[in-house]
Amino acid sequence: VQLQASGGGLVQAGGSLRLSCATSGRTFRSYHMGWFRQAPGQERQFVAAIRLSGGGTYYGDSAKGRFTIARDNAKSTLYLQMNSLRPEDTAVYYCAAGASDIVTLDRNYYYWGQGTQVTVSS
């Protein structure tokens, strides 16, 4: 599975961005999908995840109430709508695909995209 993240950019605090993660192949619907982020000098952090059926979504504390994860299995694409962005959201955002039911741990994901930079100015 190949993943291609896009949609990052520079935005002012309070603004919004929508990240997309396009995947190759016909196996997208076989995987749980997640978003993680990593800021310079920090460990990779869980942002959000969605089960393969789309029936369950999970959010890290920093994302709750502001971010929404969604998937379109027909288009093999994962999304992350980010609203009310803050400077502390600045990071490289990665999409990932995995099969483990424990979707909040990065070590449970098999495939990773290349990341897209999100920069939030104050």
Side-chain angles (χ1 to χ4, degrees):
V1 177
Q2 292 184 327
L3 290 77
Q4 180 75 36
S6 62
L10 174 63
V11 64
Q12 288 187 332
S16 299
L17 282 174
R18 187 194 196 201
L19 305 184
S20 298
C21 177
T23 68
S24 64
R26 296 172 289 178
T27 58
F28 175 77
R29 60 186 69 209
S30 300
Y31 293 100
H32 306 309
M33 299 296 297
W35 287 100
F36 292 80
R37 69 187 185 186
Q38 189 166 22
Q42 297 186 21
E43 294 186 349
R44 190 158 52 192
Q45 181 184 43
F46 170 71
V47 176
I50 185 167
R51 295 204 177 276
L52 57 88
S53 64
T57 56
Y58 307 85
Y59 296 92
D61 288 342
S62 62
K64 289 178 182 176
R66 299 187 299 128
F67 296 0
T68 302
I69 189 171
R71 66 190 295 161
D72 186 334
N73 284 347
K75 295 182 178 179
S76 297
T77 303
L78 175 72
Y79 303 99
L80 184 69
Q81 177 67 43
M82 304 188 296
N83 299 326
S84 301
L85 283 162
R86 306 165 180 165
E88 53 264 40
D89 294 318
T90 296
V92 177
Y93 284 70
Y94 299 91
C95 56
S100 171
D101 285 341
I102 304 175
V103 297
T104 60
L105 298 178
D106 57 357
R107 64 175 180 265
N108 289 340
Y109 286 83
Y110 306 148
Y111 305 102
W112 291 82
Q114 86 291 356
T116 184
Q117 176 70 47
V118 172
T119 303
V120 184
S121 63
S122 58

